[in-house]
Amino acid sequence: MLWNRLQDTGYTDVDFVGTLGPQGCGLPYDGDNEGHGGALVTTVADQNQLPAWLAATNPNVVLMHFGTNDVWSNRSTQQILTAYGKLVDQMRANNPSMTVLVAQIIPMAPATCGECAQRVVALNAAIPAWAAGKSTGQSPVVVVDQWTGFSTGTDTYDGVHPNAAGDQKMSDRWYPALTAALDGVTPTPPPSTAPPTTAPPTTAPPTTAPPTTAPPTTAPPTTAPPTTAPPTTAPPGRSCGAAYRVVGQWNSGFQGEVTVTNTGGATLTGWTVRLDFGGGQQVSQAWNATVTQAGTTVTARNVAWNGALAPAGSATFGFLASWQQSNPAPTVSCTAS
């Protein structure tokens, strides 16, 4: 899904690489990957397996969703993060300008591991600080949130491994971070990248790591502080607010992000965010929301899986857009239903 979306949106010179070939898919795609079934990141690090794979493939960008089997095997968060750090060091030994996209892994709820769900929460909560300490200007480590909005009940077939819906969600989360890297932009993490301190009853992740990918260019992003919209009129007990920020900006384009929060006392069944731009901005693509634009007004509505928000709950959607002479922040409003 990720490969074909890249091809469809103009990223036709990307080469997925890895010592493993395609492992079953109903679509034509470049299936080279390094997703070894059953592998533990702690084992790969302890046995120094990665350098030979890197030498055979020489990636410029690595997509790393790794640690599910370690969580299942009761490896501690610190052991997993130490292994992450060793792998990143080995990546940089192969390529000092390596870009690493590291996932906060999807949730898991296997019938045989009652503690696994909370272990995933603990790992994901620690990843942003680890990544911030490991990232450099030459070799950025970018956190990709694969956890938020992912349900083991609807997005996996066994509480652990993604079904088609889960595959699509994972592809949708990888895409903006990967294309930003390919465009020479290093996305900054969202305001809150850690999951809650408790795990939801439904969740899940794969036992294999995603494929490695293609060469980035270099160009630092610019960032902007969020602008926050007050709640607008809604049914009794229902209200929402929306916070907007620029994740990265380059030449005549930028990546925007909006976090929607339930500010009322009742669970929302849906939300709509309106962005009124004043700089000729035009949205070209979006994820985690259905987005339309009429003139200077962009309207974003929740998708099926992120419309229901409990009080104080939040959901995030993002988009890519162009700008002309300047890129002022829009006026933002949120309507709850």
Side-chain angles (χ1 to χ4, degrees), residues 16-299:
F16 281 8
V17 298
T19 61
L20 302 178
Q23 298 179 14
C25 183
L27 302 172
Y29 74 115
D30 182 352
D32 296 332
N33 72 95
E34 210 64 74
H36 297 260
L40 278 68
V41 66
T42 48
T43 300
V44 169
D46 290 344
Q47 297 182 1
N48 291 312
Q49 296 174 351
L50 183 60
W53 299 339
L54 292 167
T57 57
N58 297 310
N60 299 100
V61 181
V62 172
L63 281 67
M64 189 172 79
H65 184 290
F66 215 174
T68 296
N69 292 324
D70 299 81
V71 168
W72 207 330
S73 300
N74 201 20
R75 301 295 192 270
S76 70
T77 292
Q78 189 53 57
Q79 286 176 303
I80 296 171
L81 295 181
T82 298
Y84 281 2
K86 184 173 182 178
L87 296 192
V88 171
D89 290 343
Q90 292 172 338
M91 294 172 198
R92 290 170 174 168
N94 173 263
N95 178 353
S97 299
M98 188 76 77
T99 297
V100 185
L101 308 182
V102 60
Q104 288 174 294
I105 66 174
I106 63 175
M108 58 188 296
T112 57
C113 181
E115 301 82 16
C116 280
Q118 192 60 42
R119 292 177 196 161
V120 171
V121 171
L123 172 62
N124 283 344
I127 286 175
W130 167 84
K134 197 68 177 175
S135 186
T136 69
Q138 183 179 9
S139 175
V141 178
V142 178
V143 178
V144 178
D145 181 4
Q146 292 282 3
W147 193 91
T148 302
F150 199 102
S151 166
T152 51
T154 59
D155 300 322
T156 77
Y157 58 84
D158 60 357
V160 179
H161 299 89
N163 55 23
D167 291 340
Q168 185 65 64
K169 284 186 180 180
M170 294 187 74
S171 171
D172 290 344
R173 292 299 175 90
W174 284 125
Y175 179 83
L178 176 55
T179 54
L182 298 175
D183 291 336
V185 179
T186 303
T188 56
S192 177
T193 51
T197 55
T198 57
T202 59
T203 27
T207 57
T208 60
T212 55
T213 38
T217 55
T218 56
T222 58
T223 57
T227 57
T228 304
T232 57
T233 304
R238 295 178 184 173
S239 61
C240 62
Y244 166 88
R245 72 185 191 115
V246 172
V247 176
Q249 181 171 299
W250 58 95
N251 296 327
S252 59
F254 71 100
Q255 179 179 336
E257 183 178 86
V258 176
T259 299
V260 180
T261 302
N262 181 350
T263 56
T267 297
L268 303 186
T269 58
W271 46 262
T272 301
V273 171
R274 174 171 168 164
L275 307 172
D276 290 305
F277 284 100
Q281 296 95 328
Q282 291 290 317
V283 173
S284 57
Q285 56 187 275
W287 51 94
N288 299 336
T290 300
V291 174
T292 58
Q293 182 164 1
T296 61
T297 299
V298 172
T299 302

